[in-house]
């Protein structure tokens, strides 16, 4: 299939630049997975749309203040680094995405706000890419990011992060810090909504997948089969694996909240759909033709044209169904992307 098969026309004004006034006060589209039927609701209606025997899976990764600015030693100019993951066990070398990467070469030194210095070093596979390895003389901790970093809003939000984003660009149930971007389907959930789901008897469990900035990289290949996915680390706790396997055995639906939960579950299972607990990494790429083994239903945001994420939801619900739903969303002025509205695929 061609990347252009997943294009749709999106007016720029529908790309949400700010969160809704109150968390959870968003539009919700329900899409029939098999028939493509579209119905319109509000997020407040969600408990009514989910059967009590459903098992919901959430990604509890927390966003790191991963956007940091260093002053280049040779020029005195500010350079933006997006810290993605540590390369060494001692947390002294980090893989970063860098603005104007071609100009940032091995040996160059950068001073960060607290006076610490990082040096670009050679790293196999980074040549000719947006990525650079940055080495420090000490362990980079979460405290360091709190002092030196900023909330890493995605590139389609055309403004600087504010204190409001520190709260609104985190899920209320996020506990495990490590993501360079928020698993944004969860942004629609409030403590009140989780309580309402509990009251209805809907079971939930958590996985952790730390989102990398590769999720925003464009698909540059004409044929999607040639695209190489970024790697992400995930963890499935034993109790979560047990709950999922019991639900599948009992014929109960598994509803994944967000594409990151989908990627985790489909990566952590065997060919029969049995989910294994533990930590692993994944480069799974789901596009039409992929057969889902674990996930029966999906709660997700509206994704960018020609992205791996719209390919994933197209694999789940059919390309024509998704593109028709997206056209309907545009006609009805739904808000798109991280701070936008949401979709329930059943």
């Amino acid at each position: 299939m061609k990347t252009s098969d997943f294009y749709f026309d999106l007016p720029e004004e529908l790309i949400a630049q700010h969160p809704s006034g109150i968390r959870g006060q968003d539009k919700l589209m329900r899409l029939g997975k098999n028939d493509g039927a579209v119905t319109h609701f509000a997020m407040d209606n969600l408990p009514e749309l989910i059967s009590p025997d459903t098992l919901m899976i959430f990604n509890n990764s927390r966003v790191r203040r991963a956007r940091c600015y260093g002053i280049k030693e040779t020029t005195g100019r500010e350079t933006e680094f997006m810290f993605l993951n540590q390369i060494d066990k001692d947390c002294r070398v980090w893989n970063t995405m860098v603005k104007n990467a071609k100009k940032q070469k091995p040996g160059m030194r950068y001073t960060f706000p607290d006076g610490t210095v990082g040096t670009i070093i050679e790293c196999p596979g980074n040549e000719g890419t947006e990525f650079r390895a940055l080495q420090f003389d000490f362990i980079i901790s979460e405290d360091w990011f709190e002092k030196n970093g900023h909330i890493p809003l995605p590139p389609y939000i055309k403004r600087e992060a504010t204190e409001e984003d520190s709260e609104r660009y985190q899920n209320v149930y996020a506990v495990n810090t490590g993501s360079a971007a928020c698993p944004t389907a969860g942004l629609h959930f409030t403590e009140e909504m989780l309580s309402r789901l509990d009251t209805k008897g809907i079971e939930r469990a958590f996985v952790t997948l730390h989102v990398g900035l590769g999720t925003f990289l464009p698909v540059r290949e004409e044929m999607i089969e040639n695209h190489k996915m970024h790697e992400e680390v995930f963890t499935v706790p034993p109790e979560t694996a047990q709950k999922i396997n019991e639900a599948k055995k009992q014929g109960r639906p598994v509803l994944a909240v967000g594409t990151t939960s989908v990627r985790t579950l489909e990566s952590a299972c065997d060919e029969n759909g049995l989910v294994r607990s533990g930590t692993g990494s994944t480069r799974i790429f789901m596009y039409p033709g992929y057969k889902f083994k674990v996930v029966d239903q999906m709660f997700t945001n509206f994704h960018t044209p020609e992205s791996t994420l719209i390919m994933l939801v197209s694999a789940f619900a059919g390309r024509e169904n998704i593109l028709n739903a997206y056209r309907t969303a545009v006609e009805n002025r739904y808000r798109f992307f991280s701070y936008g509205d949401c979709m329930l695929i059943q």
Side-chain angles (χ1 to χ4, degrees), residues 25 95 127 204 216 223 228 239 278 284 292 321:
Q25 298 299 303
N95 198 31
E127 302 86 353
R204 68 173 172 271
F216 297 119
M223 306 302 293
K228 297 292 187 287
E239 58 271 25
I284 192 169
F292 288 80
N321 287 345

Side-chain angles (χ1 to χ4, degrees), residues 264-285:
T264 299
L265 298 184
E266 295 296 319
S267 298
C269 70
D270 62 19
E271 59 184 15
N272 297 314
L274 185 70
V275 174
R276 302 176 294 266
S277 64
T279 296
S281 61
T282 180
R283 293 180 181 270
I284 192 169
F285 184 17

Side-chain angles (χ1 to χ4, degrees), residues 59-290:
N59 178 9
N60 64 11
S61 179
R62 184 172 178 82
V63 181
R64 173 179 287 132
R65 298 180 74 92
R67 175 175 279 132
C68 303
Y69 297 89
I71 302 298
K72 186 184 288 189
E73 190 177 74
T74 54
T75 66
R77 292 181 179 175
E78 188 176 73
T79 301
E80 178 184 315
F81 293 86
M82 191 72 73
F83 284 69
L84 303 179
N85 58 279
Q86 66 256 28
I87 296 176
D88 66 330
K89 294 181 180 179
D90 296 329
C91 298
R92 298 172 188 266
V93 182
W94 283 75
N95 198 31
T96 67
M97 183 181 287
V98 190
K99 281 286 184 70
N100 300 316
K102 290 182 180 179
K103 297 181 180 179
Q104 322 307 332
K105 302 181 184 301
M108 290 182 173
R109 290 160 54 88
Y110 305 80
T111 302
F112 290 87
D114 67 349
T116 57
V117 176
T119 304
I120 290 183
I121 62 173
E122 292 185 0
C123 181
N126 277 359
E127 302 86 353
T129 70
E130 300 93 338
F131 304 105
R132 294 291 182 270
L134 201 58
Q135 183 178 53
F136 294 83
D137 292 331
F138 62 94
I139 295 173
I140 298 297
S141 66
E142 292 305 328
D143 286 341
W144 187 89
F145 286 108
E146 288 298 317
K147 294 175 184 176
N148 294 276
H150 304 265
I151 291 292
L153 294 180
Y156 43 72
I157 294 181
K158 307 295 185 182
R159 61 176 177 82
E160 292 297 317
T162 66
E163 278 308 306
E164 179 189 32
D165 297 305
S166 298
E167 186 259 332
R168 292 298 299 272
Y169 197 63
Q170 296 279 14
N171 292 317
V172 297
Y173 49 79
V175 292
N176 296 322
T177 302
S179 279
C182 183
T184 53
L187 293 178
H188 304 280
F189 290 83
T190 62
E191 293 291 356
E192 180 188 10
M193 175 57 69
L194 295 175
S195 295
R196 289 179 59 198
L197 294 170
D198 288 342
T199 299
K200 192 172 178 180
I202 296 168
E203 189 177 18
R204 68 173 172 271
F206 296 93
V207 296
T208 303
L209 181 141
H210 293 314
V211 186
L213 260 289
T215 190
F216 297 119
L217 291 179
V219 178
R220 296 190 174 98
E221 301 287 347
E222 180 182 1
M223 306 302 293
I224 65 174
E225 295 85 354
N226 297 327
H227 176 69
K228 297 292 187 287
M229 285 292 289
H230 56 287
E231 185 176 60
E232 292 172 317
V233 176
F234 67 84
T235 299
V236 179
E239 58 271 25
T240 296
Q242 182 179 356
K243 285 183 177 181
I244 294 169
N245 292 332
E246 286 179 356
K248 299 301 289 186
K249 185 176 181 180
Q250 296 165 1
R252 296 161 50 208
V254 173
L255 195 169
V257 176
T259 56
T260 57
S261 296
V262 175
R263 286 169 53 77
T264 299
L265 298 184
E266 295 296 319
S267 298
C269 70
D270 62 19
E271 59 184 15
N272 297 314
L274 185 70
V275 174
R276 302 176 294 266
S277 64
T279 296
S281 61
T282 180
R283 293 180 181 270
I284 192 169
F285 184 17
M286 288 172 269
Y287 52 86
Y290 177 84

